[in-house]
Amino acid sequence: MSDEDDLEDFEPDQDDFEKEEDEKETEEGEDYRKEGEEFPEEWLPTPLTEDMMKEGLSLLCKTGSGLAHAYVKLEVKERDLTDIYLLRSYIHLRYVDVSENHLTDLSPLNYLTHLLWLKADGNQLRSAQLNALPYLQIASFAYNQITDTEGISHPRLETLNLKGNKIHMVTGLDPQKLISLHTVELRGNQLESTLGINLPKLKNLYLVTHWVTGWCREEGTVLGVRMPVF
């Protein structure tokens, strides 16, 4: 069985890979940087190394025809990383956690076309933009410096977490590309409106704790109204 056949039928186990999400309300502010907290804009260069990879790799799985094997899960959080260029060579990775580092660029992840699950919380990212990754289902970019929602077009994406960023307006979420997206987390941003959220499978939308403008669905459109979000 090929990697593609494997991934077509595979669903990430959210119990195993999203345990933090169930407890995030009580632990918020402890595990991630607080809203408004200032950090230096420059850090000492700390690239991802082979030694870090050896420590962080796990979950041995079959690849390709099933005759070869590779580690498909990587956890390198809290390593003060500023560069993950090395990931370009690890094309079989399916689960990647690079949270709590100092990353400003995730472009090496564009080479990981088998990626299913990504956590990049608590970095210095200003954008969540990546190439469309064909199998990515869960992506979290919480507590960064992200200012917009452009460049998110993964066709199998189901859950998107952008909590605790600096987003004012939702733009670029194309309903013709994000055909599987059912959960969007946007709390802790600076939203002025929910105009721009028009997703065909949307079931769970987490916004802010005060009045916002622009959320009412009618025949697939978003109308400008006011309603409380709790």
Side-chain angles (χ1 to χ4, degrees):
M1 181 179 290
S2 69
D3 281 353
E4 286 73 15
D5 293 334
D6 236 1
L7 294 170
E8 286 283 352
D9 300 328
F10 192 86
E11 294 186 5
D13 189 333
Q14 296 201 20
D15 289 335
D16 290 339
F17 294 101
E18 290 191 292
K19 289 180 180 177
E20 304 97 306
E21 294 302 309
D22 295 333
E23 301 172 358
K24 64 185 177 181
E25 295 304 323
T26 56
E27 296 179 353
E28 184 177 319
E30 297 176 5
D31 296 329
Y32 303 109
R33 58 177 55 99
K34 297 177 181 178
E35 183 178 354
E37 188 173 351
E38 295 296 328
F39 285 83
E41 297 211 359
E42 295 186 5
W43 301 85
L44 291 176
T46 307
L48 181 62
T49 65
E50 292 287 0
D51 286 340
M52 292 179 188
M53 292 295 298
K54 290 176 182 177
E55 294 175 10
L57 285 169
S58 63
L59 194 58
L60 190 64
C61 290
K62 292 180 180 179
T63 64
S65 65
L67 300 177
H69 292 75
Y71 290 106
V72 300
K73 182 180 178 183
L74 176 68
E75 182 179 297
V76 284
K77 61 183 181 182
E78 297 179 341
R79 296 298 193 101
D80 294 329
L81 293 174
T82 58
D83 179 1
I84 55 172
Y85 182 84
L86 187 60
L87 288 187
R88 293 162 57 110
S89 303
Y90 288 80
I91 59 173
H92 295 295
L93 285 173
R94 300 178 187 178
Y95 311 95
V96 172
D97 185 348
V98 291
S99 56
E100 294 302 313
N101 286 293
H102 309 310
L103 299 174
T104 59
D105 177 27
L106 295 181
S107 60
L109 298 178
N110 289 326
Y111 291 81
L112 308 186
T113 56
H114 294 158
L115 195 63
L116 294 165
W117 184 94
L118 170 63
K119 186 173 183 180
D121 299 355
N123 281 284
Q124 295 292 313
L125 300 172
R126 296 187 180 278
S127 173
Q129 182 167 357
L130 289 168
N131 293 348
L133 297 171
Y135 300 108
L136 185 63
Q137 296 177 30
I138 298 173
S140 184
F141 306 96
Y143 301 100
N144 278 278
Q145 307 294 319
I146 295 170
T147 57
D148 61 55
T149 54
E150 297 286 340
I152 301 171
S153 57
H154 317 291
R156 285 183 173 84
L157 188 64
E158 297 178 358
T159 300
L160 174 64
N161 186 356
L162 290 165
K163 184 176 184 178
N165 281 284
K166 298 182 177 181
I167 298 167
H168 290 272
M169 293 290 295
V170 177
T171 58
L173 297 184
D174 189 339
Q176 295 183 346
K177 294 179 179 179
L178 296 169
I179 57 176
S180 302
L181 187 55
H182 60 67
T183 300
V184 178
E185 167 67 87
L186 284 164
R187 283 177 289 190
N189 281 280
Q190 301 164 11
L191 288 177
E192 300 169 356
S193 170
T194 54
L195 293 173
I197 303 176
N198 181 21
L199 301 166
K201 295 289 183 68
L202 188 63
K203 295 179 181 178
N204 306 301
L205 176 62
Y206 301 98
L207 294 171
V208 290
T209 55
H210 57 269
W211 287 84
V212 295
T213 301
W215 179 241
C216 180
R217 298 190 64 143
E218 180 176 312
E219 296 181 354
T221 63
V222 179
L223 306 177
V225 300
R226 290 172 62 83
M227 65 172 288
V229 180
F230 301 101

